[in-house]
Amino acid sequence: MVFAIIGIGLLGFVVWAHHMFTIGLDLDTRAYFTRATMIIAVPTGIKIFNWLATLYGRPLQRFKDYISLVWAIGFIFLFSLGGVTGVILSNARIDIRLHDTYYVVAHFHYVLSMGAVFSIFAGVIHWWPLIFGTTLKVDLLISHFWILFFGVNLTFFPQHFLGLKGMPRRYIDYADCYSFWNQISRFGSLLFVFGVFFFFFIIWERLISRRGLMFFKASKTQIEWKFKKFPIKNHSFSETNVRFF
């Protein structure tokens, strides 16, 4: 995992021209950046398989006890899907055809916008009880996940088809032949906006209900969860002050 991260960091310095295939690069340069971009998918795949390996033996059937884990699985799915389309765009011949179309929009939103947002929600939901000492309503959190999951997929997945049909991005209007997938994408965006406001409603519901935290469901190896509140003064845990065995 460490070497994969280092490899991604080093290769990230030598793949920059895959954003510039249409500026008139010569054939040899395009061939190099095509290969370099495809190679960076190898350490990225190693990271994804390491993430999946951490799920081995987890009780995934008990989603109500592991809401943040559901968000993590959603992140892996969306990040992987965005990575697959990135491999397609790494080919210079294909990228010249798809450059500056909605296919590129769908690609980087699956990787950055949706992947990063899902991981942020996973972190917020996971650490909320420890930081604030209260719990969010589980049933509402499950509904919130599915609303956002379907919302973002209905928004950006149809944009792959729009890009393959040649619809350019950064235009305020489009031809009638693109209307079907645009309408689906518009509905998904509205569903996504509803999901964001629904999360604010979940926080508001927590504020008015004032559900205190009784105990943590956490592993014995996670020392920070042994406190009833967030350990501000001893945040570094330089000394182990809890006996595990």
Side-chain angles (χ1 to χ4, degrees):
M1 187 62 159
V2 174
F3 284 115
I5 296 174
I6 295 174
I8 293 173
L10 294 177
L11 290 172
F13 285 103
V14 295
V15 296
W16 47 270
H18 65 204
H19 297 281
M20 307 163 58
F21 280 137
T22 60
I23 66 171
L25 298 175
D26 60 272
L27 185 61
D28 292 336
T29 303
R30 284 188 290 171
Y32 159 74
F33 281 103
T34 295
R35 289 176 173 84
T37 306
M38 289 183 176
I39 291 173
I40 203 173
V42 176
T44 306
I46 293 174
K47 287 184 65 176
I48 292 173
F49 283 114
N50 272 276
W51 292 335
L52 293 175
T54 61
L55 301 178
Y56 180 77
R58 299 296 183 102
L60 300 182
Q61 68 276 13
R62 298 177 59 189
F63 282 161
K64 289 189 175 183
D65 294 339
Y66 301 94
I67 303 299
S68 58
L69 183 59
V70 177
W71 285 95
I73 296 173
F75 157 75
I76 294 175
F77 171 78
L78 298 174
F79 184 84
S80 301
L81 186 57
V84 169
T85 56
V87 174
I88 296 174
L89 290 171
S90 67
N91 190 302
R93 279 181 171 271
I94 299 177
D95 185 81
I96 290 175
R97 172 65 177 82
L98 297 177
H99 184 78
D100 229 10
T101 67
Y102 263 41
Y103 194 94
V104 178
V105 176
H107 157 66
F108 67 69
H109 275 86
Y110 263 95
V111 175
L112 297 177
S113 178
M114 297 156 64
V117 168
F118 270 54
S119 59
I120 290 172
F121 271 115
V124 170
I125 294 172
H126 179 76
W127 295 109
W128 184 282
L130 181 63
I131 296 176
F132 295 101
T134 57
T135 60
L136 301 173
K137 194 171 180 60
V138 175
D139 295 333
L140 294 179
L141 289 175
I142 295 176
S143 301
H144 172 246
F145 169 79
W146 288 115
I147 290 172
L148 250 64
F149 184 80
F150 285 112
V152 295
N153 279 284
L154 286 175
T155 301
F156 295 108
F157 197 82
Q159 295 182 10
H160 293 100
F161 306 127
L162 292 171
L164 291 172
K165 287 185 175 182
M167 179 176 174
R169 60 179 179 149
R170 300 194 179 105
Y171 279 75
I172 63 172
D173 201 0
Y174 50 84
D176 291 340
C177 60
Y178 302 130
S179 61
F180 175 73
W181 293 115
N182 269 289
Q183 290 173 2
I184 296 178
S185 182
R186 184 181 299 111
F187 173 76
S189 65
L190 294 175
L191 190 61
F192 176 79
V193 172
F194 173 77
V196 173
F197 283 101
F198 187 65
F199 185 70
F200 292 130
F201 169 77
I202 295 175
I203 297 177
W204 174 80
E205 189 275 337
R206 196 280 304 175
L207 292 174
I208 64 173
S209 62
R210 298 180 180 180
R211 284 185 304 274
L213 190 64
M214 300 297 295
F215 60 92
F216 293 118
K217 289 184 178 180
S219 171
K220 291 183 179 180
T221 60
Q222 298 172 331
I223 186 174
E224 65 272 12
W225 292 92
K226 296 301 177 182
F227 296 86
K228 287 298 182 182
K229 61 181 180 178
F230 193 73
I232 302 297
K233 296 182 179 180
N234 190 21
H235 59 85
S236 61
F237 296 112
S238 58
E239 297 181 1
T240 302
N241 52 5
V242 178
R243 294 189 62 184
F244 295 133
F245 305 103

